[in-house]
Amino acid sequence: VALDVGEEDRHPDLRKALGQALQGNGLPGAGGAGDQAVAVGQCRQQVAFGVAVAGEQEIEPSAGLEEPGGHANPFEQRARHQMVAEALELADIELKRHNVRLSHFVSSRLPRVHVDPILIEQVLINLLKNSAEAIDHAHRPPDRRHVELQVLPKSVDHNPVVEFTVVDTGRGLAPEVLERLFEAFFSTKTEGMGIGLNLCRSIVESHQGRMQAENLYNGDQIQGCRFSFWIPVQQPLVTA
């Protein structure tokens, strides 16, 4: 899937549907459980349609690009960080509301990947927002209220990928929660509809990637949680 960063304004309905679905708020007709299920289904259909439309575009991807031969284009260097920068800017509002500090590191030389920036931005925003809420619920002191985002090249099963990692300092996840974390309509939040992480995983998998979550330990004590997902690197065409 490939969209130029500037393409997002051409898909306002997709951005609106994503925001509604990931936040679980303001869904049209979201009254009882049946209405909520219908509303969520409509949002998911809009997201799927947006992915399909994006896949038909003949536009060079704008996030994480490098020219053939390893010569980086200065314009593309700026563009490949714009997607992450926009997600950080939007998420930082929520993090500040929870008095959580945000730090990030994005590799200066990322390999070429095909991504839809609208979708990946929303995944990052949701993961960062969830991390801030986890820290808030854990009642961490000021020096332990910290979320970190890293975007790095990596190898998975000997295949090159770009990995996005969000680390928090909350209480982590119980084993029974980890088992069902990405199920539709499963949520640990009293007001949550349980579609945020499920939709995030669907978005990542629509890019042929994978998402996972794990607790971080210091000895036998949980010190936080790490959510990560990766997107496969676009392989160069082999010419005869």
Side-chain angles (χ1 to χ4, degrees):
V1 181
L3 277 181
D4 187 271
V5 171
E7 290 293 298
E8 68 179 48
D9 292 336
R10 302 185 189 181
H11 301 276
D13 292 337
L14 175 57
R15 175 172 286 277
K16 181 179 179 181
L18 277 166
Q20 290 175 336
L22 288 171
Q23 293 174 15
N25 298 319
L27 286 165
D35 291 335
Q36 289 181 344
V38 171
V40 171
Q42 291 173 344
C43 286
R44 291 177 66 87
Q45 287 177 353
Q46 285 183 273
V47 171
F49 175 75
V51 172
V53 170
E56 296 173 357
Q57 302 296 318
E58 296 296 333
I59 302 172
E60 280 297 298
S62 58
L65 295 186
E66 185 174 300
E67 290 184 338
H71 301 292
N73 182 302
F75 174 78
E76 291 176 343
Q77 282 185 342
R78 293 192 297 271
R80 69 186 175 186
H81 289 86
Q82 182 176 348
M83 176 182 67
V84 176
E86 290 179 354
L88 287 169
E89 182 179 0
L90 293 171
D92 194 43
I93 298 172
E94 183 71 13
L95 269 67
K96 286 179 178 177
R97 190 172 72 86
H98 292 290
N99 296 314
V100 173
R101 291 180 294 111
L102 174 61
S103 65
H104 69 279
F105 176 80
V106 182
S107 175
S108 61
R109 295 184 67 83
L110 292 172
R112 182 185 294 267
V113 292
H114 269 292
V115 297
D116 183 328
I118 301 173
L119 301 179
I120 301 303
E121 273 184 38
Q122 292 292 340
V123 172
L124 290 172
I125 290 170
N126 193 58
L127 293 182
L128 292 166
K129 178 176 177 288
N130 285 351
S131 293
E133 291 176 350
I135 293 171
D136 208 33
H137 293 159
H139 304 290
R140 296 303 194 198
D143 62 339
R144 294 194 60 195
R145 302 179 72 85
H146 177 234
V147 171
E148 180 180 18
L149 168 67
Q150 291 191 353
V151 185
L152 301 168
K154 190 179 178 181
S155 177
V156 174
D157 295 330
H158 306 291
N159 296 312
V161 304
V162 173
E163 184 180 60
F164 300 76
T165 304
V166 175
V167 176
D168 67 52
T169 55
R171 291 177 179 160
L173 300 167
E176 61 271 19
V177 174
L178 277 171
E179 290 179 1
R180 304 185 59 194
L181 191 61
F182 297 108
E183 292 181 11
F185 303 106
F186 174 77
S187 178
T188 60
K189 303 176 183 179
T190 56
E191 299 179 355
M193 293 180 63
I195 60 173
L197 287 175
N198 177 264
L199 183 54
C200 284
R201 186 178 67 171
S202 296
I203 290 171
V204 171
E205 291 181 349
S206 77
H207 288 75
Q208 290 75 54
R210 294 292 181 269
M211 175 178 283
Q212 63 182 13
E214 59 184 335
N215 289 326
L216 301 175
Y217 290 86
N218 182 6
D220 59 352
Q221 297 294 316
I222 297 178
Q223 299 296 307
C225 189
R226 173 166 54 211
F227 279 84
S228 61
F229 67 91
W230 53 260
I231 304 295
V233 169
Q234 179 189 2
Q235 297 296 334
L237 295 177
V238 178
T239 58

